[in-house]
Amino acid sequence: MRRPFIILLAANALSVTGTMLCVLAVPWFVLETTGSAALTGLAAFATTLPVVVAAAFGGTLVDRLGFHRASMASDLMSGLVVLAVPLLAQGSGLSYPLLLALLFLRWLTATPGETARKAMLPELAALGRVPIERAAAAYDGVYRGAAMVGAPLAGVLIVWLGTHALLVVDGVTFLLSAALVGTLPRPDPGDAARPGGGDGYLRGLRTGFAFLWRDRLQLSATGMLVVVNMLDTGVTQVLLALYARDVAGDPRAFGLLAGSVAAGALAGTVAYAAAGGRLPRRLTYGVAFLLAGVPRVLVLALDVPLPVAVGVALASGFAAGAINPILGVLQYDRIPQVLRARVIGAMAAAAYAAMPVGGLLAGALTELAGLRAALLAFTCVYVLVSLPPFVGRAWRELG
């Protein structure tokens, strides 16, 4: 019975599409209204800091509330918050500080839903008799596909409808996601029947972080993600927007470049699902991580023609397609069901910890040294953070 598994994928696709619309709409909205790279970076900070907070402290709540209820509540609340932004803006009641507060609340409420849907996956895949490797690849592939559609769609809708209408579409996608999750059978028996379900909140929180600390391989992988997520945030939410405005002169270039990475990643995920079992995991992960970040940022710094930059973005995205399925299978193999949401939340919180700095760093560095210098600096850090799979002792377990 694969219908529940497919519904889960559809719900997550809607939620991710809405997220991509928001990721692109907000920086463009701030640039339109303020013209400031620094304020755009501050808005990026307001959208990333709550992700860290919610991932760190929300996973235990998801375990206690239940994956099903947590996902629905998360999508409903975040959808309503997003809808409030264009409504207040139309009535001239949206100041910049209030926008920052709403952005903070939107991401604070949306993040537990991501954790809950990911935690549902093994049981719904088993219900549909889908092997976990294929299920993890399918989940990541749908995520990539939604990002691929959402990013260029956002660029087009900004031109056609404006950022206000785009944010309305964003809010509606979350409400539809909540409705779909409401039709799913509950894959978990509820907290009362769960081992450890009666643990206090703080004890449960400590248990999740302690489990992660003991797993040196996943801890090292999370450390890499800390840095690369910081860089990706600065690139996506600040540097690409500035490149589209100052170099390409067209907001559609913003969506095209971001969407090309997602399109390549979708193809890479499909390719890994088909052939990944025959590839050496450690080498595959290391090479994929290196190629996923370095080339696509370097070509922007070298001021190549836009079609070349788009082609490189596609290739980098293809390399990135293997990363999440490999990490997903490791999580499902190593983390007990009773701890799943809190450990995944702990990993996400750690991985997202430096994301708020990414937007601020990109905005400040661009203001001080210019766009090209910022792109070159980010490229160098991408190279350094890709080294652990090639030299780290804990990574031998991945082979």
Side-chain angles (χ1 to χ4, degrees), residues 116-254:
R117 285 187 296 275
K118 188 172 183 179
M120 289 183 201
L121 181 65
E123 283 69 41
L124 292 179
L127 183 64
R129 298 183 180 178
V130 180
I132 190 60
E133 294 83 3
R134 290 189 179 181
Y139 189 87
D140 189 57
V142 168
Y143 182 99
R144 305 282 193 183
M148 177 187 69
V149 172
L153 178 63
V156 171
L157 290 179
I158 287 173
V159 175
W160 285 358
L161 303 176
T163 52
H164 292 177
L166 181 57
L167 288 169
V168 172
V169 176
D170 177 20
V172 171
T173 59
F174 279 98
L175 300 183
L176 291 175
S177 174
L180 281 178
V181 172
T183 69
L184 289 174
R186 297 188 181 184
D188 49 279
D191 295 317
R194 281 177 163 180
D199 284 351
Y201 173 80
L202 291 178
R203 182 179 178 184
L205 190 66
R206 288 194 300 269
T207 301
F209 280 97
F211 186 95
L212 175 59
W213 181 257
R214 289 193 298 268
D215 191 329
R216 295 301 179 184
L217 174 57
Q218 293 196 82
L219 187 64
S220 178
T222 302
M224 293 175 65
L225 294 176
V226 170
V227 181
V228 83
N229 284 343
M230 177 192 72
L231 298 174
D232 285 348
T233 299
V235 170
T236 301
Q237 297 197 16
V238 179
L239 298 182
L240 282 186
L242 291 171
Y243 177 87
R245 187 191 68 176
D246 299 341
V247 179
D250 188 339
R252 287 171 292 189
F254 186 8

